[in-house]
Amino acid sequence: MCGIAGIVSSSVSDEAFLKALSFISYRGPDDTGFFVKLDRETQKKVLLGINRLSIIDIQGGRQPMSSEDGNVVVVFNGEIYNFLEIRKRLESKHALRTNSDTEIIPHMWEEYRENMLDYFDGMFAIALYDSKKNILFLARDPFGEKPLYYSLSQSQFIFASEPKVIISLADFSSEPDFYAIAKYLFYGFIPSPHSPFYKIKKIPAGHYLIFDLKNWDIKIREYFQVKKIKARDYYGIQDINQKIKENLRVSVKRRLIADVPLGIFLSGGIDSSSVVAIASKFIKPKTFSISFYESSYDESSFAREISSFFGTDHTEYRMSEDDMLEVVPEIFSKLDEPFADSSIIPTYLLSKLTRQKVKVALSGDGGDELFGGYPTYISHVLAELLKRVLKWRRMKDFIVNLVESLPSSFDYFSLDFKLKRFFSGFDFNLPQRHCFWMRYFSPSEIPNILNLDGGQDFVFEDTLRYYKEAMEKDIDFFSLPMYLDLKLYLQDDILFKTDRASSFCSLEVRTPFLTKEIANLCFSLRFKDKIKPLIYTPDGLKFILRDIMKNDLPKRILKRGKQGFAVPISFWIKKKEKLFLEKVFELEKYLRRFGVVSPSFFDFVSKEFSDHINSRKNNSRKIFALFSLSYWFERWVR
């Protein structure tokens, strides 16, 4: 975990650059590194900087690092987990002076250029300056664990781990991109390559960018896509399952390499429990979890069972609404992108708790998307079946009205919530239905907040693009939602949340499930191989993972259903009504300044809030989305 930044400009001062870099010092409080050079051909100054969190080769791993002749310079956020194997490939041709994973990057660039990325097993945001070729090379890891933003104007090219650095250096104002904001209101996050700022973009996961200083232009290329392995590479499902298990063991072992104390996030679910089970074969882990007073959200008994089973050194913290009040200002003072997933609050507290004892933590992120862990996956099967057997047009109004009349529960993932979501998206095709089920505001509701031209259908464009991509890969029909989640929800919600919450606490988080090999193997399996109802669990979710871990985990863990790391924000909004009400309605004045507020904003939001406070509907997702957006405008938009 580090924070990196760079700029190519003829006017920026070293002092201004270092000040901008200091805005993300929490990402790497151990050391600051700095490189500056005047590019002779273009007469532009090239500056690279890093705030380092020292994990591997603490003394020798200072950045920036360069090739032997100094022509290639790199700053790097993340870890290359297979760097020891790659070192052996390089030792005969290059003089390696450290034990750091960073040092292999300039040498791999000299040998393979951008194809070096194919050799890396890691999470990373890489920035490399090749002075001979007059280019900057930027790359982001295959799944998007590490963030990387950029901006290009007529006089500047800037990149950074977070937008706040770019904003402080840019020769333009931080104008919001309201079409990206509309997507945020739908998804609860802003999908790559968009950002909340009009002139700032994200490099998508699995892509690299080449900036040509001489021609002053950029090229973006995709270097990794999930692909099905060829039939000749395996003999059957059991062979793939065995390969997945072997790869997961190797992945966990590699992610235990560190020169500092290390722990594991433990919820007691099948994903984090599997990581603990495998890690316990190599170390005695320290484990960490968050619990809640509200019973439907609390998983702590499962976490304690796993800790006892494997003899881990376990630390647990029980979170309340008072903790929420304390940490929300801390989070939103640093969070320079609106984010509607309220589980960032307990993730931040978990990271804060973990950082008190260790510097690195492993998590189970990615297991749901790869192995089929979300209930929506099996809901699509039911939806398609009902469409065929029911005279839907005739029964639609009756069923929808019946479901909508159900009283609202504020418990986690309650039955009424599931039924209302299910039938609200029933008429959509599969890709649109999947994202509609996950929505915060529907496309028809967004015009009650934002007054934009061109309708609201554009909110589905990212969904449909990835759907088409998945179809071209011949991924079977009911596995398509998993691919959509891999490209959208995992990248820009789950991994964004984990990166920001942990980085704010100067903690590095590693995700063993997210390797290219495991992803390719999982998407080579058909839906019916991954999800098998009535085996292990009633809904059959994550059958493969449960099956390969059946001899390693307690039966109660193998047979427990999906819960998810959610926060009881629905209850807290009612308890802290004034706090949320004031912040949500402040949003109207921010939108009005840009002339994009909807005429119906006040009436619409008042009703949504009133329905929630009076328990007519659970609108906590919508309220927190507006709450987060209001904080973002207040802090970051000038």
Side-chain angles (χ1 to χ4, degrees):
M1 173 66 69
C2 300
I4 63 173
I7 186 170
V8 180
S9 172
S10 57
S11 58
V12 68
S13 68
D14 297 1
E15 293 76 17
F17 179 74
L18 288 171
K19 181 180 178 181
L21 187 62
S22 72
F23 295 152
I24 54 170
S25 60
Y26 48 78
R27 297 188 74 93
D30 296 333
D31 188 31
T32 296
F34 176 59
F35 167 85
V36 59
K37 182 175 182 177
L38 182 66
D39 188 84
R40 292 181 180 178
E41 189 168 355
T42 63
Q43 290 300 298
K44 299 280 188 181
K45 188 189 286 187
V46 179
L47 298 99
L48 304 178
I50 180 167
N51 294 312
R52 183 181 176 223
L53 186 68
S54 307
I55 303 295
I56 294 175
D57 193 0
I58 294 172
Q59 298 301 321
R62 295 193 68 195
Q63 298 184 45
M65 283 194 180
S66 64
S67 56
E68 292 97 330
D69 58 12
N71 288 321
V72 179
V73 181
V74 66
V75 288
F76 159 60
N77 169 27
E79 304 289 347
I80 307 296
Y81 300 116
N82 60 338
F83 77 100
L84 293 175
E85 297 97 299
I86 293 175
R87 280 179 65 92
K88 295 176 182 177
R89 179 186 293 270
L90 296 169
E91 284 173 346
S92 63
K93 292 185 178 180
H94 298 274
L96 300 173
R97 301 181 292 271
T98 77
N99 295 314
S100 167
D101 56 337
T102 307
E103 189 179 12
I104 68 170
I105 298 173
H107 302 310
M108 286 293 284
W109 173 261
E110 290 177 313
E111 296 295 326
Y112 303 104
R113 296 295 187 261
E114 59 268 23
N115 293 329
M116 69 179 180
L117 301 171
D118 296 335
Y119 294 89
F120 294 165
D121 170 20
M123 58 174 186
F124 51 79
I126 295 171
L128 180 149
Y129 171 54
D130 189 326
S131 59
K132 276 190 174 181
K133 292 185 174 296
N134 292 101
I135 62 169
L136 268 174
F137 174 81
L138 309 179
R140 196 172 173 203
D141 63 72
F143 302 97
E145 294 180 66
K146 297 293 103 183
L148 197 52
Y149 297 77
Y150 70 94
S151 177
L152 176 64
S153 69
Q154 291 183 344
S155 59
Q156 296 176 319
F157 176 77
I158 317 173
F159 71 86
S161 295
E162 297 181 27
K164 58 174 67 74
V165 176
I166 298 175
I167 292 168
S168 67
L169 292 169
D171 55 8
F172 54 82
S173 62
S174 55
E175 179 185 352
D177 181 345
F178 285 103
Y179 286 93
I181 299 298
K183 292 184 179 187
Y184 159 78
L185 292 171
F186 179 63
Y187 289 105
F189 55 82
I190 297 177
S192 301
H194 316 288
S195 94
F197 301 100
Y198 182 67
K199 294 186 178 180
I200 300 175
K201 301 296 181 186
K202 302 172 189 170
I203 296 177
H207 285 67
Y208 64 81
L209 178 153
I210 296 177
F211 173 61
D212 187 320
L213 278 70
K214 185 177 180 180
N215 296 320
W216 206 255
D217 65 4
I218 61 175
K219 294 179 181 177
I220 298 176
R221 298 284 186 270
E222 188 171 26
Y223 71 88
F224 174 75
Q225 280 195 9
V226 170
K227 61 182 179 181
K228 298 172 73 171
I229 60 176
K230 296 177 182 178
R232 65 173 178 270
D233 294 336
Y234 66 95
Y235 296 100
I237 293 172
Q238 290 306 314
D239 297 286
I240 292 184
N241 292 356
Q242 185 59 36
K243 283 188 177 183
I244 290 172
K245 188 171 186 177
E246 291 170 2
N247 274 277
L248 188 54
R249 180 183 179 278
V250 169
S251 180
V252 171
K253 185 178 181 182
R254 282 177 173 175
R255 283 152 181 78
L256 293 174
I257 297 174
D259 296 330
V260 295
L262 181 146
I264 302 173
F265 289 167
L266 176 60
S267 68
I270 185 71
D271 298 331
S272 62
S273 298
S274 296
V275 173
V276 171
I278 298 170
S280 296
K281 299 179 187 298
F282 306 105
I283 63 170
K284 181 180 179 180
K286 292 181 171 64
T287 53
F288 303 85
S289 68
I290 293 288
S291 62
F292 300 101
Y293 290 99
E294 293 79 1
S295 59
S296 67
Y297 291 82
D298 187 46
E299 299 182 86
S300 58
S301 66
F302 296 103
R304 288 193 290 271
E305 180 176 348
I306 287 294
S307 172
S308 175
F309 190 83
F310 291 103
T312 74
D313 178 1
H314 190 60
T315 304
E316 178 187 313
Y317 182 82
R318 178 148 291 198
M319 183 181 177
S320 69
E321 66 266 23
D322 291 331
D323 293 307
M324 182 269 294
L325 286 177
E326 180 180 332
V327 302
V328 158
E330 295 178 23
I331 294 170
F332 285 108
S333 67
K334 300 182 181 75
L335 192 63
D336 49 12
E337 187 163 330
F339 188 66
D341 187 343
S342 59
S343 65
I344 193 172
I345 300 172
T347 306
Y348 174 77
L349 271 176
L350 178 61
S351 298
K352 206 171 185 179
L353 175 72
T354 304
R355 186 62 177 88
Q356 293 173 4
K357 294 189 176 182
V358 302
K359 210 170 183 179
V360 178
L362 273 61
S363 87
D365 289 345
D368 288 310
E369 292 78 9
L370 295 179
F371 293 100
Y374 295 124
T376 48
Y377 299 153
I378 202 163
S379 297
H380 285 294
V381 179
L382 180 59
E384 293 297 321
L385 179 64
L386 286 177
K387 277 187 174 183
R388 291 190 172 103
V389 301
L390 288 179
K391 295 180 179 178
W392 173 243
R393 296 295 176 190
R394 193 174 300 172
M395 300 182 65
K396 175 181 176 181
D397 291 342
F398 172 76
I399 295 176
V400 170
N401 289 335
L402 180 64
V403 168
E404 286 298 322
S405 69
L406 293 172
S408 293
S409 169
F410 284 13
D411 287 341
Y412 175 70
F413 214 50
S414 61
L415 177 61
D416 72 284
F417 175 84
K418 290 185 281 190
L419 287 172
K420 290 171 184 177
R421 284 278 157 154
F422 180 84
F423 285 106
S424 70
F426 196 84
D427 280 339
F428 287 103
N429 60 27
L430 183 139
Q432 291 176 314
R433 180 174 64 224
H434 186 66
C435 290
F436 198 80
W437 281 344
M438 302 291 286
R439 76 190 184 280
Y440 285 73
F441 292 91
S442 70
S444 63
E445 290 174 321
I446 293 172
N448 291 307
I449 301 167
L450 290 176
N451 185 17
L452 298 177
D453 296 328
Q456 302 299 323
D457 289 343
F458 67 87
V459 298
F460 284 117
E461 65 185 9
D462 304 280
T463 300
L464 296 175
R465 182 176 77 253
Y466 291 128
Y467 175 72
K468 181 180 177 182
E469 189 177 284
M471 292 290 286
E472 292 171 351
K473 296 176 181 296
D474 194 31
I475 292 173
D476 65 291
F477 184 76
F478 287 114
S479 293
L480 293 172
M482 299 180 202
Y483 189 82
L484 293 176
D485 282 341
L486 185 78
K487 303 294 281 191
L488 283 166
Y489 183 62
L490 177 67
Q491 177 181 178
D492 291 308
D493 186 303
I494 300 297
L495 296 178
F496 177 96
K497 172 185 66 180
T498 301
D499 172 80
R500 294 303 197 275
S502 61
S503 70
F504 295 164
C505 303
S506 305
L507 176 76
E508 177 171 286
V509 177
R510 301 174 175 180
T511 52
F513 288 112
L514 296 181
T515 75
K516 292 178 283 190
E517 292 80 6
I518 292 175
N520 289 338
L521 287 165
C522 285
F523 277 96
S524 298
L525 293 167
R526 296 164 297 179
F527 179 85
K528 65 180 183 179
D529 299 324
K530 296 182 185 180
I531 295 179
K532 296 190 176 184
L534 305 180
I535 302 180
Y536 296 110
T537 60
D539 55 17
L541 296 172
K542 274 193 277 202
F543 165 76
I544 295 296
L545 183 58
R546 296 178 199 277
D547 201 51
I548 65 177
M549 298 302 298
K550 63 186 177 184
N551 296 322
D552 299 287
L553 292 174
K555 287 184 178 180
R556 192 167 86 108
I557 302 301
L558 286 171
K559 292 182 176 295
R560 68 168 299 207
K562 171 70 179 174
Q563 179 158 341
F565 192 40
V567 62
I569 194 72
S570 52
F571 294 101
W572 296 350
I573 289 171
K574 294 187 70 172
K575 291 180 180 180
K576 307 297 179 183
E577 175 184 351
K578 185 178 178 182
L579 167 70
F580 284 93
L581 186 67
E582 289 179 352
K583 185 59 67 177
V584 165
F585 279 103
E586 281 180 10
L587 177 60
E588 183 178 18
K589 71 179 182 182
Y590 300 133
L591 298 178
R592 192 176 301 282
R593 289 177 189 170
F594 290 91
V596 296
V597 68
S598 169
S600 55
F601 180 96
F602 182 83
D603 291 340
F604 174 75
V605 174
S606 295
K607 187 177 187 310
E608 296 293 308
F609 212 99
S610 175
D611 284 347
H612 184 86
I613 296 301
N614 293 296
S615 301
R616 290 189 291 267
K617 290 183 180 180
N618 184 349
N619 287 329
S620 57
R621 285 164 60 87
K622 295 178 180 180
I623 292 169
F624 193 80
L626 297 176
F627 181 79
S628 173
L629 185 58
S630 183
Y631 252 112
W632 177 77
F633 268 98
E634 178 185 37
R635 178 71 177 86
W636 300 106
V637 179
R638 297 290 180 265

